[in-house]
Amino acid sequence: MENEDYNLSLTYGDDYLDDLEPIVVLEEFSPLEGRVARIFLVVVYSIVCFLGILGNGLVIVIATFKMKKTVNTVWFLNLAVADFLFNVFLPIHIIYAAMDYHWVFGTAMCKISNFLLIHNMYTSVFLLTIISFDRCISVLLPVWSQNHRSIRLAYTACVVIWILAFFLSSPSLVFRDTAHQHGKISCFNNFSLSAASSSRLPTHHPLNPVGFNRHMVVTITRFLCGFLVPGLIITACYFTIVCKLRRNRLAKTKKPFKIVVTIIITFFLCWCPYHTLYLLELHHAAVPGSVFSLGLPLATAIAIANSCMNPILYVFMGQDFKKFKVAVFSRLVNALSEDTGHSSFHSHRSFTKMSSINERSSVNERETNML
């Protein structure tokens, strides 16, 4: 019976951990409901994959070949690359769900596919954090920012972010595993690092504290480093920015923040259910099984959907969105070229200078006509 329960938890879904009480899942989902859930995930993943590859690919091309390199384009380019890499491997998840969770891609790909999901989460949230910090410094210390804010520094920060995200995502390369169960191969988290056999104890088994401790450390680390701490830093940055803008009554400088703020809010809304359910799963016995059987696949789908959101937000929130005659290419350029701090100051100063020139030309023309 223990082996049967273990198998049920594995075959439910790609990111469904092997330590949830699986018998509850069996009671919650009939074969028809399970088939409907799989079809739903296949459809959602397919839409996300198509939009993500198309949208992020377009952003990468525009930011790389069609725009002048700025600090802002460096941030957005790295966000797009992180999302694009995950979207390229998303068809594997689609096939896995379509084949009733029968993994045919080998253990190495099982590790890599989950690694890319977690790496995408870390890379995205770290980039959003550094973007928020960059904007905060631009508002608080505009002169210092203008003198020290450089493309080289932005690329260096991105390299550090990618390396840090790699190490924080590495548990997927260690603990992700495959197992043969009742004629199927499942891709799951093997925190005990034991052979996936009928004699293996589930992670939450009283005689397997090592597996549970590893599971707890990985889950809490992902929550703290990939969600809570970056969220607090981002909130502090934008709270500081808002206070500074209100104090100086710089209402016009608020507009360039809207895209980044929306991207940040979207990220945390997409990943909040994912982290919440995985934290609850540490104490799954106290939570109704329906919360996991229904919520976890949906939460994973929402988290994955975040990988295609940014290009859509660039288009719909670009400066020229209300001008429907403007092409998507132009909207993306406008969104990616938005900058803050000293760059906003330069834009405002250039606009003022141009207005003064036009006004002087108009006055001279009227004087000439009078003569």
Side-chain angles (χ1 to χ4, degrees):
M1 182 64 180
E2 180 182 272
N3 183 38
E4 180 182 356
D5 290 353
Y6 168 67
N7 172 62
L8 290 173
S9 65
L10 292 183
T11 57
Y12 181 74
D14 178 42
D15 286 290
Y16 202 65
L17 297 180
D18 59 319
D19 40 40
L20 180 63
E21 285 291 341
I23 193 66
V24 177
V25 177
L26 179 64
E27 294 173 354
E28 294 294 337
F29 269 172
S30 67
L32 178 60
E33 290 172 333
R35 191 178 303 112
V36 171
R38 290 196 302 273
I39 293 174
F40 171 76
L41 290 181
V42 169
V43 172
V44 171
Y45 287 0
S46 299
I47 294 174
V48 170
C49 181
F50 174 77
L51 294 178
I53 291 178
L54 180 63
N56 289 298
L58 186 58
V59 170
I60 291 171
V61 171
I62 292 174
T64 303
F65 302 107
K66 302 295 183 179
M67 295 184 64
K68 180 182 178 181
K69 286 292 182 295
T70 65
V71 173
N72 216 40
T73 56
V74 171
W75 302 141
F76 288 126
L77 174 61
N78 278 266
L79 273 174
V81 170
D83 289 335
F84 184 83
L85 285 176
F86 173 70
N87 289 133
V88 167
F89 283 84
L90 194 52
I92 294 177
H93 296 263
I94 298 173
I95 296 173
Y96 185 44
M99 295 181 65
D100 196 16
Y101 305 112
H102 175 51
W103 188 265
V104 296
F105 305 103
T107 303
M109 194 57 67
C110 172
K111 296 176 181 290
I112 292 173
S113 62
N114 187 257
F115 168 83
L116 288 174
L117 172 64
I118 305 303
H119 188 271
N120 174 258
M121 176 195 72
Y122 279 123
T123 306
S124 297
V125 74
F126 290 162
L127 283 168
L128 294 176
T129 303
I130 197 68
I131 289 172
S132 303
F133 184 76
D134 175 44
R135 274 141 176 72
C136 186
I137 295 299
S138 296
V139 171
L140 293 180
L141 304 171
V143 177
W144 184 93
S145 180
Q146 182 176 354
N147 293 331
H148 296 84
R149 188 173 181 265
S150 65
I151 298 176
R152 182 178 180 181
L153 184 61
Y155 274 118
T156 302
C158 289
V159 171
V160 172
I161 286 173
W162 281 81
I163 294 175
L164 181 60
F166 176 87
F167 282 109
L168 288 172
S169 306
S170 59
S172 294
L173 301 176
V174 177
F175 298 118
R176 205 69 175 171
D177 200 0
T178 57
H180 292 266
Q181 292 290 328
H182 296 279
K184 291 183 181 180
I185 303 175
S186 298
C187 179
F188 68 104
N189 290 314
N190 185 2
F191 288 109
S192 65
L193 293 180
S194 60
S197 63
S198 59
S199 61
R200 178 181 172 277
L201 295 174
T203 300
H204 277 145
H205 195 281
L207 300 180
N208 188 14
V210 176
F212 173 72
N213 289 337
R214 289 169 176 166
H215 176 198
M216 182 173 62
V217 169
V218 170
T219 301
I220 293 177
T221 300
R222 286 177 182 175
F223 173 71
L224 292 178
C225 298
F227 192 81
L228 182 61
V229 174
L232 293 176
I233 295 175
I234 290 171
T235 301
C237 288
Y238 278 94
F239 179 78
T240 304
I241 290 171
V242 170
C243 291
K244 180 70 173 180
L245 295 180
R246 287 184 176 179
R247 189 181 304 119
N248 295 340
R249 297 180 180 179
L250 300 175
K252 290 184 178 180
T253 61
K254 294 180 181 179
K255 186 176 181 180
F257 294 103
K258 65 179 182 178
I259 290 181
V260 177
V261 171
T262 304
I263 291 172
I264 291 170
I265 292 174
T266 302
F267 176 88
F268 283 100
L269 288 178
C270 287
W271 282 96
C272 183
Y274 181 91
H275 287 289
T276 301
L277 287 173
Y278 273 92
L279 286 174
L280 288 175
E281 203 224 3
L282 291 174
H283 304 283
H284 62 271
V287 181
S290 59
V291 173
F292 300 106
S293 60
L294 297 175
L296 200 48
L298 180 61
T300 303
I302 294 173
I304 287 177
N306 181 251
S307 63
C308 74
M309 293 290 189
N310 292 349
I312 298 174
L313 295 176
Y314 298 152
V315 172
F316 280 83
M317 297 193 65
Q319 295 176 358
D320 294 325
F321 173 68
K322 294 182 179 180
K323 302 176 182 179
F324 290 97
K325 63 181 180 180
V326 180
V328 171
F329 177 87
S330 177
R331 293 175 193 170
L332 283 171
V333 170
N334 287 328
L336 298 177
S337 62
E338 280 190 310
D339 217 332
T340 59
H342 63 271
S343 55
S344 296
F345 170 75
H346 281 309
S347 298
H348 178 69
R349 186 171 63 181
S350 300
F351 176 78
T352 305
K353 183 178 179 180
M354 184 62 67
S355 299
S356 300
I357 293 175
N358 292 337
E359 184 177 354
R360 286 200 303 268
S361 299
S362 179
V363 171
N364 292 336
E365 184 178 353
R366 287 200 299 269
E367 288 177 352
T368 302
N369 291 335
M370 289 176 64
L371 293 174

